[in-house]
């Protein structure tokens, strides 16, 4: 405790809390931690992510980061929302970068907290390059990406020996993004396709895959709000993908297309429900 200087330590602690965790601007440059928050359940944070959050001075977080995850941060850490809510303007990537750089140069420990993993459709690569340009120390803390966390919750293996030997991650937030994807390489029966941010583009995803030659009867799933208390999984066929998306409700959501869906818990539960309906 500062070599026995208890009074000084207490004063420093009070000053840190009063300043919202700000460090002495005369000190050295702080470190930026790019942290993956996982798909939503705070218990899926890595130990490293939890340690970093509990030592942070300031946390810049996205919309996909849940309150339950943010509550694991140090109590007096400053929380700054820098995400984009649907239908509302965001602050832009350049402004996010500027804020992180300013915070680090003031000597603070900065956490850039992103849903899932920062390097899977999270723009973490762009941010680390900008931070490097400013000679700011960066530490990467990987997180459980949504495809892995949500599939695990649904007991859905994304690969399966001799059946599903390829796995592709695609992002398609809008229909025009889905239309721009080259689906021809994803039409094989052995390929599991996971579409991030695909809820609003379900029809375009279906059309692209079917046009490329994928069987319309291929098992498909929509995993909405995965690992969260209100998670929901809806399963069916590829040709019914837009209906499945509508039934799942609001996002965030993943679309999963492939034979592996038929091995999942929601698929088994649906078959059991249908069999009881027929028996009745």
């Amino acid at each position: 405790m500062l070599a026995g200087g208890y009074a000084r330590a207490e004063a420093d602690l009070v000053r840190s809390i009063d300043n919202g965790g700000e460090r002495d601007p005369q000190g050295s440059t702080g470190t930026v931690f790019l942290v993956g928050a996982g798909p939503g359940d705070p218990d899926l944070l890595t130990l490293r992510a939890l340690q970093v959050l509990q030592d942070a001075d300031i946390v810049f977080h996205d919309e996909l980061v849940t309150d339950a995850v943010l509550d694991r941060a140090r109590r007096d850490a400053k929380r700054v929302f820098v995400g984009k809510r649907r239908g509302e303007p965001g602050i832009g990537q350049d402004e996010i970068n500027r804020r992180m750089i300013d915070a680090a140069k003031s000597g603070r420990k900065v956490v850039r907290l992103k849903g899932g993993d920062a390097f899977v459709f999270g723009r973490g690569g762009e941010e680390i390059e900008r931070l490097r340009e400013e000679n700011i120390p960066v530490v990467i803390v990987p997180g459980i990406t949504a495809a892995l966390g949500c599939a695990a919750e649904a007991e859905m293996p994304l690969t399966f020996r001799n059946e599903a030997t390829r796995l592709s991650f695609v992002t398609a937030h809008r229909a025009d993004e889905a239309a721009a994807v080259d689906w021809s390489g994803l039409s094989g029966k052995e390929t599991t396709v996971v579409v991030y941010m695909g809820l609003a583009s379900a029809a375009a995803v279906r059309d692209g895959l079917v046009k490329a030659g994928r069987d319309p009867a291929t098992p498909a799933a929509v995993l909405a709000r995965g690992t969260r208390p209100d998670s929901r999984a809806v399963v069916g066929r590829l040709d019914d993908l837009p209906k499945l998306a509508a039934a799942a409700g609001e996002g965030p959501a993943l679309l999963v297309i492939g034979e592996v869906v038929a091995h999942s818990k929601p698929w088994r539960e649906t078959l059991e429900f249908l069999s009881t309906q027929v028996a009745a």
Side-chain angles (χ1 to χ4, degrees):
M1 184 74 81
L2 292 181
Y6 298 108
R8 178 185 171 191
E10 183 177 3
D12 286 345
L13 176 61
V14 170
R15 183 166 57 253
S16 176
I17 293 174
D18 289 343
N19 292 336
E22 292 186 8
R23 300 292 178 95
D24 181 1
Q26 300 299 320
S28 60
T29 299
T31 299
V32 174
F33 296 83
L34 294 183
V35 180
D41 183 346
D43 289 341
L44 293 179
L45 282 168
T46 66
L47 287 174
R48 179 61 168 145
L50 183 59
Q51 291 168 351
V52 168
L53 280 172
Q54 292 180 343
D55 195 40
D57 295 321
I58 185 167
V59 179
F60 295 99
H61 64 93
D62 288 342
E63 169 69 7
L64 294 180
V65 177
T66 63
D67 289 340
V69 168
L70 286 171
D71 286 343
R72 300 294 176 95
R74 200 179 80 203
R75 185 178 61 181
D76 61 308
K78 185 176 182 180
R79 302 178 185 180
V80 181
F81 175 71
V82 292
K84 184 179 186 302
R85 296 187 172 97
R86 191 168 182 177
E88 300 179 13
I91 68 171
Q93 189 61 53
D94 289 343
E95 177 62 15
I96 294 173
N97 293 342
R98 185 193 66 77
R99 294 187 185 189
M100 287 194 296
I101 291 167
D102 287 350
K105 288 187 174 180
S106 72
R108 286 181 281 183
K109 293 181 181 178
V110 179
V111 167
R112 176 68 172 104
L113 191 61
K114 297 168 175 285
D117 180 88
F119 282 0
V120 180
F121 304 127
R123 303 190 73 171
E126 299 172 48
E127 293 179 350
I128 191 173
E129 287 188 356
R130 184 69 186 91
L131 292 166
R132 283 171 176 164
E133 290 174 359
E134 297 290 332
N135 295 316
I136 292 173
V138 182
V139 175
I140 311 302
V141 182
I144 297 176
T145 188
L148 304 186
C150 299
E153 180 185 50
E155 298 179 13
M156 182 185 298
L158 294 178
T159 61
F160 206 92
R161 186 184 174 111
N162 298 325
E163 185 175 311
T165 57
R166 295 181 60 200
L167 175 61
S168 293
F169 292 167
V170 180
T171 179
H173 187 58
R174 297 183 296 273
D176 58 345
E177 292 178 357
V181 174
D182 180 8
W183 298 107
S184 61
L186 307 175
S187 59
K189 187 176 181 179
E190 76 285 354
T191 301
T192 301
V193 180
V194 180
V195 183
Y196 283 67
M197 299 172 281
L199 200 61
S201 58
V205 171
R206 174 202 60 193
D207 294 346
L209 283 168
V210 171
K211 185 178 180 180
R214 195 84 192 228
D215 185 350
T218 299
V222 179
L223 307 180
R225 305 173 299 281
T227 79
R228 304 182 185 195
D230 61 343
S231 66
R232 186 173 185 199
V234 185
V235 297
R237 293 166 37 127
L238 172 59
D239 52 4
D240 286 330
L241 193 58
K243 294 180 182 178
L244 303 181
E250 296 182 353
L254 296 171
L255 313 180
V256 184
I257 301 97
E259 303 302 319
V260 295
V261 174
H263 294 285
S264 68
K265 181 179 180 181
W267 188 274
R268 295 194 304 272
E269 291 176 340
T270 299
L271 289 181
E272 291 170 2
F273 173 77
L274 292 176
S275 63
T276 58
Q277 292 295 101
V278 170

